[in-house]
Amino acid sequence: MKRRSFLAASAAMASTVTVTGLGLGARPAAAAGGTAPGAAPAASNVFIEPAKPQLTVPHAQPGDRIAVTVSVPGGDPVWSGSLTADAAGRARITVPVGRGYYTAAYQLTRASGTVTATDTFCVLGAIAATVPGLGVNTHFGFGPDPWDPTVLSPLIAAAGIATVRDTEEWWGAEPTKGTYDFSLYRQYRASLVANGLTDLPVLSFNNAHYDGGATPYTDAGRAGFAQYAVELVKQNPQVAAVEVFNEFNIPTFGARGGSPANCQPDYYFLLLQATVTELRKHYPHLRYVAPASSGVPIDWLKAVFDLGGLDYVDAVSVHPYCYPAAPDQLAQQLRQVDALVRSYGVRRDLWISELGWTDATTQRSVDARTQAAYAVQSAATAYATGVRDFFWYDFMDDGTDSAEQEQNFGMVRMVSGGSTRPKPAYAAYANLARQLTVAATPSGPAGLTRDAPADGVTRVMIPGRPGTTWMLWAAAPTPFAVTVAGTAILTDTYGAAVRVSGAPGAGTFSLTLGPEPVYLASPRPLAVAGSVRHRLTAHEAKRGEDLKATWLVDNTGGDRPVTAKLRSGGRIVATAVAAAGARSSTEVVLGTAEAAGRRTVHASVTEDDGVVALLAAEYLVAEPLTLSVLHVLKDGQDALRVRLANSGSTAQDVPSLAWAVGPVRGSESDLTIAAGAVDERFVPLAGLTARAPYEVEATMGDGAQLTSTGDVVVVAASDLRHVPRRTVTVDGVNELAGSPRTGTSSEGTVVMTGYQGAQDLSFDFWLSHDADRFYLTVAATDDVHNGSAIGDQIWQNDSLQFAVGAGTPGEAQTWNEIGASLVGGAVSTWRWSGPSTGALLAGDAAVVRSGTTTTYEVGIAWSDLGIDPSGGLISFSMLVNDNDGQGRKGYVEWASGIGDAKDSALFNGFVLDA
């Protein structure tokens, strides 16, 4: 499913991937088996204890008076100070904070006014050795600009990462046939060695002198590729392993240049066989990692293994990307791969050589804190499920455009001026490395186990001496009761630690668990339960209003009164007394919502001066006034609906509301929107016959501005299809079979290898709707049904995929992409994009197979789709995938915009009938 476009050194060869491995060739160092990391460059704002964080204020000018506020992830301020820039404009300040990840906000006051700036930094504990098995992908093979190894290699080592996955691609390494130039590889590898790092070369991809520059598909092309592999290993005869190609199973790599190989497993097997056979002649010590598949394509892997692929590999590698969804399905997918390998009567190590999440601003992105959380969740889950080597993709952002998905997978920002900046994921990954040292071995972290001690909680045990580290997280912020013997050390995602103890006589403390994992170091096992003594529940929050919460003290099981103090931000927020056998509920104010967006307030509770609870109130701070713009049909005519809704507790003044739609301009002034009220107006679109940009801007009374931009596309009524109003029972029985079809596969496009006609794959489908839900019914004819992939990988099965968005084609900037498949007799669903991701709610889909017909029914609430049906316009596209047991053959697509390029402009437009 993943389709990345990498920064390229050549427009013709625009891709590269990277790998990291299990302590590959690591020099002996500490007992963990890694290499002692060097010092981190302070210029990149990464500080290793005992060094103190000393920050340089950006954009300072001579004489500036500077106020500094330092905050932790979530927004809690932890320190403030001030300084004055010197006569040269230099301003440096030492911040007295300990381990963790921080944002520094600067307010610079000068004669011309006040300006602001921000910066990030982290403080890490010392680490004696890198952690074998913990790796990261890099793009050093693109060249030193901006992938500067002298800046980045020390940061990689300082994090505790042992191995870099990278390469010099075949096209660049053999510029003239038979003549090799590995200068780029030698250059960056020298920096890796200097910093105690090892590398895993990825053998990739194609060369203009062989097979016409296509993905290798002839004996001559495979021989050329194998010789390139031999020449690369000559540059580093001590390398422990290589990975043979990358993501051959997707067109980006497996069908370059229109190659007849076309991602097929038999062509990959021949390439693997030729390469490993040649390498073994020269380097019998090498270990071989393959096939580095995109996703977890069980059927494709099985086809490679059926041909004998396991005879040529020592480790099976996969890239189980599922962004933006959480890595909840990862353990199950890894067990599938392991079971497949074992079914051949052999054992092979299991590697994840790429996995990552992007923190761009696209619909398939997550925020920076979630990226950090998923980095450590996925690595811990992988190790606890038997993975020996795990590699995050990738170490540095590939660009600076926050709206470009592919540019924001990094743990650090792009190097500029000889330095970079850490993102939360860097501090989180480095802290994970420090937690893993107790379980490190020369071949990777060992002995980790994973379970679910309470509903919604994941626990990973990291064994060590003298005690065990317990890693805990939950899908959503929820308080739990954790019982330990005596006291324990709790470390947050980013490395900040605190000593906690249970309530007197009980040994239990209350802890808010969420997606950002915490670590508890305890000599004895701990228990987790859902019944808590202290609970902090956040209320809805609007910008500019108080952050309110309810603090509940449950002493119903106690035999004496409890006096507790709630502390946050260095102050006592409230004191509560709960009588024996009773509860106490206190409304508290935890500060002010100064900005819209995610805000987390951390608090502690003490009883008898001992910390008995670490709680968090999670807010999604909204603007009190929201602006929404939608293309609608108003009395049968196209119009742009501009809506201002006040969900705040007080009236909101809007001095100015202005809009521009193509050549049309308009404005209103001095509006007042009462609390709970909605102001709505319609801009006629008569006369517009093509795509036109729009911009709507509302200026609020406090000067804040709300802006909505996009395109409006007026479509002739004759070009819009209709969705009848009819409720469907979602049970897999096609009750619309006798009614007019919305569309059929004969109107679509076949994108498939070896298509055999309508009996191979064809379909009819029907759309309908009612006031509450959108319905899709599909009757697909398919001679062979096959489905073994799960979760976000169901697109590789015989399956349905469709997309639906608001407005006419090309207007939706975000939309829903949803799939359904029959796997082992059960319905498996997935939403890849939309207001939420992951499996659909129970009952939203049904799939029934009868003979050669598969009936798909989906019925999803409009509110769950994030679409307001009152607009009357939607855009839609769908396809049905085909898999006859050798992996996904391809698909038949009706309309377009999801099978290849993700583009709502390629959808078809519909009117929702009243």
Side-chain angles (χ1 to χ4, degrees):
M1 201 72 183
K2 171 179 60 66
R3 296 178 177 89
R4 287 201 308 277
S5 298
F6 296 93
L7 296 178
S10 161
M13 308 293 180
S15 55
T16 261
V17 195
T18 38
V19 187
T20 43
L22 48 98
L24 307 174
R27 297 179 307 205
T35 302
S44 291
N45 275 10
V46 173
F47 304 92
I48 311 294
E49 292 180 331
K52 301 296 184 183
Q54 189 175 55
L55 308 179
T56 299
V57 180
H59 314 306
Q61 295 180 4
D64 280 354
R65 300 185 306 280
I66 305 165
V68 186
T69 301
V70 174
S71 303
V72 295
D76 284 348
V78 294
W79 183 83
S80 61
S82 61
L83 72 159
T84 300
D86 66 17
R90 292 186 297 264
R92 290 178 63 81
I93 188 168
T94 300
V95 181
V97 295
R99 300 174 190 176
Y101 181 85
Y102 304 94
T103 298
Y106 303 103
Q107 187 176 66
L108 298 85
T109 301
R110 56 185 63 138
S112 60
T114 299
V115 297
T116 59
T118 60
D119 206 352
T120 64
F121 68 99
C122 67
V123 181
L124 306 177
I127 187 169
T130 58
V131 178
L134 188 67
V136 69
N137 284 262
T138 61
H139 291 157
F140 292 133
F142 286 158
D145 184 14
W147 280 86
D148 187 341
T150 64
V151 173
L152 298 175
S153 296
L155 290 175
I156 295 170
I161 297 165
T163 311
V164 161
R165 178 183 188 253
D166 210 321
T167 194
E168 185 167 355
E169 295 181 25
W170 185 18
W171 66 267
E174 191 180 352
T176 303
K177 190 170 184 179
T179 302
Y180 298 90
D181 178 1
F182 287 97
S183 54
L184 265 177
Y185 178 57
R186 288 195 298 272
Q187 178 184 4
Y188 77 73
R189 186 175 176 274
S191 181
L192 300 182
V193 172
N195 286 277
L197 299 169
T198 57
D199 71 298
L200 173 68
V202 188
L203 306 177
S204 53
F205 288 105
N206 51 328
N207 188 292
H209 305 301
Y210 301 85
D211 290 343
T215 299
Y217 63 92
T218 67
D219 287 342
R222 289 185 281 265
F225 184 87
Q227 188 58 41
Y228 145 76
V230 170
E231 296 295 331
L232 189 152
V233 178
K234 279 184 183 179
Q235 312 303 310
N236 180 14
Q238 287 75 43
V239 70
V242 295
E243 192 165 33
V244 184
F245 217 81
N246 174 81
E247 299 186 352
F248 194 98
N249 63 313
I250 62 171
T252 305
F253 306 110
R256 284 190 168 187
S259 173
N262 198 27
C263 312
Q264 296 306 301
D266 52 344
Y267 278 92
Y268 177 74
F269 168 75
L270 292 172
L271 182 65
L272 174 69
Q273 181 185 50
T275 304
V276 174
T277 299
E278 186 62 29
L279 279 168
R280 279 175 173 166
K281 296 176 185 177
H282 305 275
Y283 303 104
H285 71 281
L286 269 180
R287 302 187 72 228
Y288 301 98
V289 184
S293 63
S294 175
V296 187
I298 292 296
D299 296 321
W300 191 90
L301 293 172
K302 183 177 184 301
V304 173
F305 298 163
D306 282 346
L307 293 167
L310 289 172
D311 295 336
Y312 298 92
V313 303
D314 300 289
V316 173
S317 59
V318 293
H319 300 168
Y321 287 98
C322 61
Y323 60 86
D328 298 341
Q329 62 188 334
L330 184 58
Q332 187 179 358
Q333 290 178 328
L334 293 171
R335 286 192 290 267
Q336 272 192 309
V337 177
D338 187 55
L340 175 63
V341 172
R342 289 171 184 263
S343 71
Y344 292 88
V346 298
R347 299 284 298 273
R348 295 290 183 266
D349 287 342
L350 186 58
W351 290 23
I352 293 178
S353 55
E354 281 189 38
L355 185 58
W357 280 257
T358 172
D359 69 337
T361 56
T362 66
Q363 67 171 357
R364 298 201 63 202
S365 304
V366 297
D367 62 46
R369 287 172 58 193
T370 302
Q371 182 192 48
Y374 290 170
V376 292
Q377 280 188 29
S378 56
T381 297
Y383 292 133
T385 316
V387 166
R388 299 302 297 272
D389 283 69
F390 177 91
F391 314 99
W392 176 263
Y393 181 87
D394 57 356
F395 186 68
M396 185 181 76
D397 283 347
D398 284 325
T400 59
D401 186 349
S402 63
E404 284 293 331
Q405 176 174 293
E406 307 303 333
Q407 293 186 16
N408 293 276
F409 279 88
M411 291 181 171
V412 300
R413 300 297 179 193
M414 179 170 279
V415 169
S416 176
S419 65
T420 180
R421 287 294 181 267
K423 295 163 64 173
Y426 177 83
Y429 208 60
N431 182 43
L432 174 67
R434 284 146 177 80
Q435 304 300 325
L436 289 173
T437 55
V438 296
T441 74
S443 57
L448 279 70
T449 58
R450 177 179 179 270
D451 65 1
D455 188 27
V457 177
T458 298
R459 175 174 61 184
V460 172
M461 181 194 74
I462 306 174
R465 294 181 180 180
T468 296
T469 298
W470 306 86
M471 184 178 181
L472 300 167
W473 71 83
T478 310
F480 291 92
V482 179
T483 303
V484 296
T487 61
I489 303 299
L490 184 145
T491 304
D492 72 10
T493 302
Y494 308 102
V498 63
R499 186 178 298 275
V500 295
S501 58
T508 299
F509 66 94
S510 302
L511 176 65
T512 300
L513 294 175
E516 293 169 289
V518 299
Y519 306 86
L520 276 161
S522 173
R524 296 182 179 86
L526 57 81
V528 181
S531 177
V532 295
R533 183 165 175 138
H534 295 278
R535 181 186 299 268
L536 192 61
T537 304
H539 299 181
E540 288 189 0
K542 308 296 181 185
R543 184 179 63 84
E545 299 183 357
D546 289 338
L547 293 169
K548 297 179 180 179
T550 299
W551 173 30
L552 178 67
V553 183
D554 188 345
N555 194 29
T556 54
D559 56 6
R560 64 181 183 87
V562 167
T563 300
K565 296 179 180 179
L566 180 73
R567 288 179 166 86
S568 180
R571 65 186 179 92
I572 297 175
V573 175
T575 300
V577 178
R583 293 184 178 90
S584 168
S585 180
T586 306
E587 300 300 305
V588 298
V589 175
L590 300 174
T592 303
E594 297 179 351
R598 186 178 178 187
R599 175 74 168 91
T600 306
V601 179
H602 298 87
S604 64
V605 178
T606 56
E607 297 176 16
D608 298 331
D609 296 325
V611 177
V612 298
L614 294 173
L615 306 176
E618 184 79 21
Y619 299 90
L620 187 59
V621 179
E623 290 286 353
L625 194 69
T626 56
L627 169 67
S628 61
V629 178
L630 183 66
H631 180 186
V632 302
L633 290 178
K634 173 70 170 173
D635 300 327
Q637 301 299 312
D638 292 282
L640 199 66
R641 185 180 69 193
V642 178
R643 176 181 286 174
L644 288 167
N646 182 6
S647 58
S649 58
T650 60
Q652 295 291 324
D653 293 329
V654 182
S656 172
L657 173 66
W659 58 86
V661 186
V664 179
R665 301 287 188 272
S667 65
E668 293 282 351
S669 59
D670 299 326
L671 301 175
T672 298
I673 317 298
V678 174
D679 180 277
E680 191 173 78
R681 60 200 65 243
F682 296 88
V683 180
L685 300 178
L688 290 181
T689 57
R691 177 186 296 269
Y694 72 79
E695 180 175 6
V696 181
E697 184 176 271
T699 302
M700 299 174 63
D702 61 1
Q705 291 185 324
L706 305 177
T707 303
S708 177
T709 60
D711 290 331
V712 63
V713 182
V714 175
V715 178
S718 58
D719 292 333
L720 293 171
R721 302 178 183 233
H722 287 256
V723 181
R725 192 175 181 91
R726 177 169 177 175
T727 299
V728 170
T729 302
V730 180
D731 56 5
V733 177
N734 185 1
E735 59 200 78
L736 301 179
S739 59
R741 300 168 300 189
T742 302
T744 177
S745 57
S746 61
E747 303 167 335
T749 303
V750 177
V751 183
M752 189 182 304
T753 301
Y755 182 61
Q756 299 297 314
Q759 288 304 116
D760 192 5
L761 179 64
S762 57
F763 58 81
D764 298 322
F765 74 94
W766 296 258
L767 297 181
S768 64
H769 77 105
D770 58 27
D772 298 320
R773 301 176 82 83
F774 166 83
Y775 300 98
L776 169 63
T777 303
V778 181
T781 298
D782 186 0
D783 56 350
V784 178
H785 179 80
N786 190 71
S788 57
I790 59 172
D792 77 303
Q793 299 292 297
I794 62 172
W795 61 276
Q796 300 185 59
N797 301 334
D798 284 317
S799 58
L800 165 71
Q801 270 180 265
F802 69 93
V804 58
T808 57
E811 292 185 341
Q813 299 175 49
T814 62
W815 56 86
N816 294 266
E817 185 175 346
I818 296 169
S821 181
L822 195 63
V823 181
V827 178
S828 183
T829 62
W830 198 260
R831 172 156 42 184
W832 291 277
S833 63
S836 63
T837 56
L840 299 179
L841 297 174
D844 277 358
V847 186
V848 173
R849 174 81 172 171
S850 177
T852 60
T853 299
T854 306
T855 300
Y856 300 90
E857 282 190 323
V858 181
I860 307 178
W862 289 112
S863 58
D864 193 25
L865 292 171
I867 296 175
D868 180 356
S870 68
L873 294 168
I874 64 169
S875 49
F876 173 84
S877 179
M878 66 160 285
L879 60 83
V880 177
N881 293 301
D882 195 26
N883 182 329
D884 289 346
Q886 295 288 306
R888 181 190 190 222
K889 287 170 57 179
Y891 53 87
V892 179
E893 187 172 36
W894 188 91
S896 189
I898 55 175
D900 187 12
K902 305 295 183 182
D903 186 354
S904 69
L906 302 177
F907 298 176
N908 278 345
F910 287 84
V911 175
L912 300 175
D913 290 343

